[in-house]
Amino acid sequence: MVGITSYGAYIPRYRLNRKTIFAAMGWFNSATAGVARGEKAVANYDEDCVTMAVAAALDCLNGIARDEIGGLYLSSTTVPYLERQNAAICAAALALRVDIRTADFGASLKSGTTALISACDAVKSGDIKNFLVCAADSRQGKPGSSMEHTFGDGAAALIVGKDDVIAELKGSYSITSDIADYRRTQEERFTRGWEERWIRDEGYGKIIPEAVNGLLEKYNLEIGDFAKVVISCPVGGALNSICKKMGIESERIQDNMMNSIGDTGSSLSLMMLVAALEEAKAGDKILVVGYGNGSDALFFEVTDQIEKARDRMGIKRHLEHKEELDNYVKYLVYRDLIPVEIGIRGEEAPPIRLSLMHREGKTLTALCGSKCKVCGTPQYPKQRVCINPGCGAIDQMDDYYFYDKVGRIKSFTGDRLAFTIDPPATYGLIDFDEGGRLYLDITDCDLDSLKVGTYVKMGLRRRYADKRRGIYAYFWKAVPILEKNA
Amino acid sequence: MGCTKFGEQWDKSSEDLIVEAYKEAAEDAGIEIKDIDAAWYASCFEEVNVGRGGIPLARALKFPNIPVTRVENFCTSGTEAIRGACYAVASGACDIALALGCEKLKDTGFGGLPDLGTGEESRFYYPNLTAPGMFAQIANAYFAKYGLSREEGKRVLARISWKSHQNGAMNPRAHLRSTPSMDIIINAPIISDPLGLFDCCGVSDGAAAAIVVPADKAKEFRPDPIYIKALQISLTPATGIGHQSWDGIHLESTRVPGVKAYEEAGIKNPREEISLMELHDCFSISELITYESLQISPIGKARKDVEDGFFDLDGKIPCQSDGGLKCFGHPIGASGIRMAYEIYKQLQGKAEPEERQLKTNPILGLTHNHGGICGSLVCSVAMFGNEL
């Protein structure tokens, strides 16, 4: 049996109410009134696809040993690097083994489901036992466009394996179509679309039923066999009309989350699948349809193992943890769409030493420190001489990872002198419950909400964006959590 | 000794500052350049207009092929220069040594200090730290541990800055000479929460110099030399940042050299025996915790002494009688020597103008510096007396 063995998701903390967008840009394109409903999830200034994919993967791994993972596919149409494998950055941050298969899947919005099918094939072949599939997107619509309203940010992660499967992949059917409904060239930052009515009719309206019918025919199924139908169609009208034509009642249609998250591109299908799994029960058949330059239709059957995989942030709990971004201009600054005066101090960023980052890769990307074999003190970064003033043992260290540890704020400040695109620069000393202390940036919080003793978890974030030299550097920050196990 | 005016010296180069501090010191000691056997030069941010090595000092004064050593140890750099000169003289290796510190900070184009320079690797894993940010954390931790509300805490800190402004206003060589009210200090814009503008010291250009000779020959140079009674430096090796044993407030690297300095100078009860102090008040909170670390005030209770005016110019132990880093200013490499200069003048009874001179016949002064990263700080404590 091959299928999904674990799931996880990530939705950034900020939500932008579409009325806020319309209030700012509706004067320019009054036709966007039709899509100016609900809210969309917006990545923080220090987040991108790599950080969101890693966050979803951490939710999905949830205690599963990193050494068990034999492959990682990252699906995204908005990767930070066009040359340099983004999946490899994720694998490094997650401290996966080096003898694994990694690849970036992209370009098409259906690359999320394609990556999932490919991972299942790899597991089926027997080559790889457990495959991690991550999908994350953060697409940008031009200010004043309807895509500015509809696009949202988020990520999903799934592990595919043979043991303890919670949803077995029973089959899939794919079609390819060179339909240029949405497109973006190498030089462009913003997605372009052809006329929406044409996409609705010739795109979603034709291609999705073709894939679904192909699957039903191939496996001799009826649409009524499925307890849940996951169709990654971000246009509500198109989705309803497809379902109506195919005879899918509304209670069996998985919510496309357009009112709460938005169109998360290549990760939409997998995020919707995670949401479906959160509600699924043993025996449920789930149909998953990815759309983009064709379509992938996948057929899962949920097993009784599903109950063992409930302890996740997933979609549901992430939706509850949100903060409104009530300032459209701030959103533009976060997305680097308008220049701001960063001052001479901000311009003085020294170059990032890539050879150093490579040498200290485990330390910097996977937050690996060390634990003294003599006194048991966790410490960061890895030390040759034990930092415990009462110990001082030399070269008695084991690797020790902090990225999955919970800590508490010992001291903190909001610094208005230090340069950051989101002042004040908030940082502090973090004492970890299992020992060890780190000096860390604190993100996804309001300064006023912090106290000495506030619990934090670790989140990978974009630490430096050196546009002059084309380098993004990642490091971990402390993210406040409400309770210890959040 | 010699000391320039500190401040935004837009029209002066580091050479101008070095020569000015040297000239006053040489005249004070009655010596010439050719008399100097060796020199120690303190500067911290060499990338801002001063330059590396001993060259800036040797070049400015045209030393004739004598040893000139640059020392840099964050904010203790000036005291390190004095230490180098003292150890050389004490060892008998030379008879007359110069310690001179100079810093040109105001050519950066922005407020505050340049990047702290913690090393290429740590730049990736430390937050984008600034000096006010590190000490602001100590303030938040202090408030939390000793039960002060933010308002109460800010008021105590404001009282410390208020006192330094009162002192600085009287000093023509000080950088900042205004006398803001407590309300203005408390309500000033936040630099790093909870520290506001007036909790932070001036970032300045300036230079200061000391001529060091053997104690038993000092009176050959002038009738009222000042003697160095203790000179201690200590560095915490990042344990505060990486090990939970540090409370995030009081600095071991201050307590330890303090204890050693009292022992070296034969001090049994510092609160009773010290006449005046120049503490490293880069921020109001750092002055507060130093009162406690140096055993002047009980741990967690310096607030009472602050509110009682214990450290005011007319208090029991005046602190920052020249305005301190807060108002006299803080050209890093010069600051330790500037503090010694103020103690020197006060112990000689020659502080200028006259109304600044302590009327209590001070006999023993203490200087203190700390710098680096909180949790991995280097601290110096030096003591000076007017009797051998």
Side-chain angles (χ1 to χ4, degrees):
Chain A
M1 187 190 289
V2 172
I4 295 164
T5 60
S6 183
Y7 60 83
Y10 179 74
I11 302 167
R13 171 177 179 254
Y14 283 119
R15 306 302 148 78
L16 183 60
N17 192 306
R18 294 193 177 100
K19 285 197 170 59
T20 306
I21 303 175
F22 190 76
M25 289 305 296
W27 63 273
F28 181 79
N29 186 356
S30 58
T32 55
V35 288
R37 290 187 306 269
E39 57 191 19
K40 66 175 211 161
V42 175
N44 205 339
Y45 79 98
D46 56 1
E47 294 184 296
D48 63 16
C49 293
V50 164
T51 68
M52 292 195 294
V54 167
L58 285 175
D59 189 37
C60 178
L61 282 161
N62 194 35
I64 295 166
R66 308 298 189 270
D67 283 355
E68 299 287 314
I69 304 299
L72 190 159
Y73 288 153
L74 172 67
S75 155
S76 175
T77 66
T78 48
V79 285
Y81 283 101
L82 292 180
E83 190 167 334
R84 177 183 177 181
Q85 197 188 59
N86 302 282
I89 303 175
C90 296
L94 294 165
L96 302 185
R97 297 193 330 250
V98 292
D99 58 328
I100 62 169
R101 186 183 302 172
T102 57
D104 285 354
F105 282 62
S108 166
L109 298 182
K110 78 168 183 323
S111 60
T113 43
T114 309
L116 179 56
I117 295 169
S118 305
C120 289
D121 285 347
V123 171
K124 210 177 290 175
S125 77
D127 274 1
I128 291 167
K129 218 170 143 204
N130 295 292
F131 218 112
L132 179 61
V133 179
C134 300
D137 244 333
S138 175
R139 290 146 79 221
Q140 193 62 52
K142 272 194 191 129
S145 69
S146 64
M147 285 178 273
E148 180 183 36
H149 288 264
T150 55
F151 289 177
D153 304 332
L158 300 164
I159 295 173
V160 174
K162 279 183 173 166
D163 301 326
D164 300 326
V165 169
I166 60 172
E168 182 188 4
L169 179 71
K170 306 281 275 188
S172 69
Y173 181 83
S174 298
I175 58 173
T176 290
S177 165
D178 178 28
I179 180 169
D181 45 2
Y182 297 105
R183 68 196 190 283
R184 179 161 33 99
T185 63
Q186 188 159 312
E187 290 76 26
E188 288 177 305
R189 167 113 197 246
F190 304 99
T191 298
R192 294 175 190 273
W194 201 254
E195 189 184 353
E196 286 164 11
R197 298 170 64 81
W198 173 71
I199 297 173
R200 182 192 64 194
D201 297 343
E202 289 295 303
Y204 303 124
K206 271 197 182 156
I207 293 173
I208 289 172
E210 198 182 332
V212 173
N213 289 329
L215 181 92
L216 297 180
E217 207 170 302
K218 184 176 171 186
Y219 297 98
N220 201 16
L221 295 159
E222 305 271 334
I223 194 71
D225 295 338
F226 293 98
K228 214 61 172 200
V229 177
V230 174
I231 300 178
S232 65
C233 173
V235 180
L239 178 61
N240 289 337
S241 122
I242 291 166
C243 290
K244 199 173 169 190
K245 273 186 200 155
M246 301 198 70
I248 307 164
E249 306 85 353
S250 57
E251 59 271 20
R252 289 197 289 140
I253 307 172
Q254 182 64 39
D255 176 21
N256 67 3
M257 303 184 288
M258 284 303 288
N259 276 327
S260 50
I261 303 174
D263 178 4
T264 56
S266 68
S267 59
L268 180 61
S269 55
L270 301 193
M271 289 177 78
M272 288 170 69
L273 171 57
V274 169
L277 289 172
E278 285 175 335
E279 304 292 330
K281 48 186 196 304
D284 282 358
K285 288 185 175 64
I286 299 177
L287 173 65
V288 181
V289 182
Y291 173 84
N293 315 114
S295 178
D296 295 320
L298 295 79
F299 157 31
F300 288 98
E301 188 168 323
V302 177
T303 75
D304 54 9
Q305 296 291 311
I306 187 79
E307 297 305 329
K308 293 184 185 166
R310 295 294 187 205
D311 181 24
R312 307 283 190 275
M313 284 291 284
I315 296 292
K316 218 193 303 180
R317 285 169 70 196
H318 268 118
L319 280 175
E320 291 162 9
H321 287 92
K322 63 174 181 179
E323 184 70 29
E324 189 182 354
L325 183 62
D326 57 4
N327 181 333
Y328 176 77
V329 176
K330 198 170 177 181
Y331 158 73
L332 294 184
V333 172
Y334 279 6
R335 295 276 72 79
D336 195 20
L337 293 177
I338 53 169
V340 285
E341 178 56 82
I342 61 171
I344 299 172
R345 187 180 282 278
E347 288 164 355
E348 286 231 323
I352 286 157
R353 320 283 182 191
L354 288 172
S355 53
L356 184 154
M357 289 217 75
H358 181 67
R359 179 173 66 244
E360 306 297 336
K362 206 155 73 170
T363 300
L364 299 174
T365 315
L367 206 64
C368 180
S370 59
K371 186 172 185 173
C372 179
K373 287 183 219 171
V374 177
C375 72
T377 302
Q379 41 209 286
Y380 183 90
K382 184 174 186 169
Q383 300 292 311
R384 295 286 299 268
V385 179
C386 179
I387 199 163
N388 179 357
C391 180
I394 301 175
D395 287 339
Q396 296 291 320
M397 295 289 171
D398 289 326
D399 282 355
Y400 183 85
Y401 290 91
F402 283 91
Y403 64 79
D404 54 355
K405 305 292 188 293
V406 169
R408 271 186 278 187
I409 293 176
K410 176 77 180 171
S411 64
F412 68 97
T413 187
D415 187 339
R416 294 195 172 271
L417 184 62
F419 169 71
T420 166
I421 208 73
D422 188 27
T426 305
Y427 51 83
L429 284 177
I430 308 300
D431 279 355
F432 287 82
D433 282 10
E434 293 170 43
R437 171 180 288 181
L438 268 75
Y439 225 148
L440 289 168
D441 284 315
I442 307 170
T443 192
D444 279 4
C445 65
D446 302 309
L447 181 62
D448 293 343
S449 70
L450 298 184
K451 290 189 174 57
V452 170
T454 299
Y455 275 109
V456 295
K457 66 178 179 182
M458 299 296 105
L460 185 78
R461 295 300 167 108
R462 199 187 255 192
R463 176 75 195 283
Y464 294 105
D466 186 341
K467 281 188 271 184
R468 270 185 300 171
R469 303 172 183 97
I471 298 173
Y472 298 114
Y474 297 89
F475 191 61
W476 296 79
K477 296 185 181 182
V479 183
I481 48 178
L482 295 177
E483 69 241 56
K484 199 176 166 180
N485 299 315
Chain B
M1 292 194 72
C3 183
T4 68
K5 177 179 168 50
F6 282 10
E8 292 170 325
Q9 312 239 40
W10 307 117
D11 57 350
K12 284 188 178 147
S13 66
S14 53
E15 180 191 14
D16 294 331
L17 297 167
I18 288 170
V19 171
E20 193 180 323
Y22 167 76
K23 271 171 74 180
E24 187 190 346
E27 201 174 306
D28 189 55
I31 61 155
E32 296 176 36
I33 286 174
K34 67 175 173 48
D35 299 329
I36 295 172
D37 297 320
W40 276 261
Y41 172 59
S43 74
C44 188
F45 292 101
E46 77 271 4
E47 61 272 39
V48 191
N49 206 16
V50 180
R52 274 176 216 278
I55 292 172
L57 178 61
R59 188 175 54 202
L61 297 178
K62 313 295 182 298
F63 279 131
N65 292 296
I66 62 164
V68 181
T69 305
R70 181 210 171 188
V71 289
E72 182 277 302
N73 212 349
F74 281 106
C75 297
T76 64
S77 300
T79 304
E80 283 282 23
I82 294 179
R83 192 165 74 118
C86 284
Y87 280 26
V89 168
S91 74
C94 59
D95 289 327
I96 303 179
L98 170 70
L100 190 146
C102 176
E103 205 85 36
K104 257 315 273 187
L105 290 173
K106 292 309 299 179
D107 287 333
T108 56
F110 52 78
L113 297 176
D115 184 83
L116 289 172
T118 56
E120 275 302 317
E121 193 185 325
S122 62
R123 198 160 62 77
F124 286 100
Y125 57 74
Y126 286 155
N128 194 8
L129 300 169
T130 67
M134 293 186 294
F135 282 95
Q137 284 182 71
I138 292 184
N140 276 328
Y142 188 100
F143 297 171
K145 182 162 180 182
Y146 299 108
L148 277 72
S149 68
R150 192 174 184 279
E151 289 65 35
E152 288 170 331
K154 274 190 71 81
R155 179 160 286 277
V156 176
L157 297 182
R159 181 62 177 77
I160 292 171
S161 297
W162 177 87
K163 168 264 301 161
S164 297
H165 273 278
Q166 295 294 317
N167 296 347
M170 294 158 69
N171 194 340
R173 293 193 195 188
H175 180 171
L176 304 168
R177 304 194 59 203
S178 62
T179 52
S181 67
M182 285 287 285
D183 278 349
I184 285 178
I185 295 173
I186 291 168
N187 297 314
I190 292 294
I191 300 297
S192 194
D193 192 84
L195 302 181
L197 182 64
F198 291 99
D199 290 302
C200 307
C201 72
V203 170
S204 329
D205 303 325
I211 308 286
V212 179
V213 300
D216 57 0
K217 292 183 184 158
K219 289 207 168 161
E220 294 171 17
F221 292 83
R222 58 176 301 129
D224 55 355
I226 298 301
Y227 301 96
I228 295 171
K229 309 295 247 182
L231 202 47
Q232 295 290 337
I233 289 187
S234 147
L235 199 153
T236 302
T239 37
I241 298 167
H243 192 257
Q244 295 190 5
S245 51
W246 182 45
D247 67 357
I249 301 169
H250 293 100
L251 307 169
E252 264 310 90
S253 49
T254 299
R255 190 189 67 79
V256 169
V259 169
K260 286 183 182 170
Y262 295 151
E263 196 181 308
E264 191 176 8
I267 302 297
K268 300 272 180 310
N269 186 343
R271 189 178 168 98
E272 294 302 323
E273 295 176 60
I274 293 171
S275 313
L276 78 161
M277 303 195 294
E278 284 288 330
L279 304 183
H280 200 84
D281 58 331
C282 45
F283 304 96
S284 50
I285 181 64
S286 57
E287 186 170 332
L288 183 79
I289 56 170
T290 304
Y291 296 148
E292 297 176 1
S293 292
L294 290 178
Q295 305 169 51
I296 307 298
S297 305
I299 295 288
K301 291 183 175 156
R303 174 186 185 177
K304 184 171 186 308
D305 285 336
V306 171
E307 288 169 346
D308 289 350
F310 187 86
F311 303 108
D312 292 357
L313 199 59
D314 58 358
K316 177 76 170 61
I317 305 182
C319 269
Q320 340 296 53
S321 53
D322 60 355
L325 299 174
K326 173 74 206 72
C327 295
F328 200 93
H330 189 20
I332 313 291
S335 282
I337 305 173
R338 182 275 300 166
M339 293 173 166
Y341 177 85
E342 172 65 5
I343 302 284
Y344 177 86
K345 289 289 181 185
Q346 289 283 1
L347 297 188
Q348 288 175 333
K350 292 192 162 86
E352 290 176 345
E354 219 181 304
E355 70 256 32
R356 291 207 314 109
Q357 176 62 45
L358 301 179
K359 308 296 184 280
T360 50
N361 291 325
I363 56 167
L364 188 70
L366 177 147
T367 67
H368 157 263
N369 301 103
H370 57 210
I373 298 171
C374 289
S376 188
L377 277 183
V378 54
C379 298
S380 61
V381 176
M383 302 200 69
F384 304 85
N386 55 8
E387 284 172 27
L388 191 57

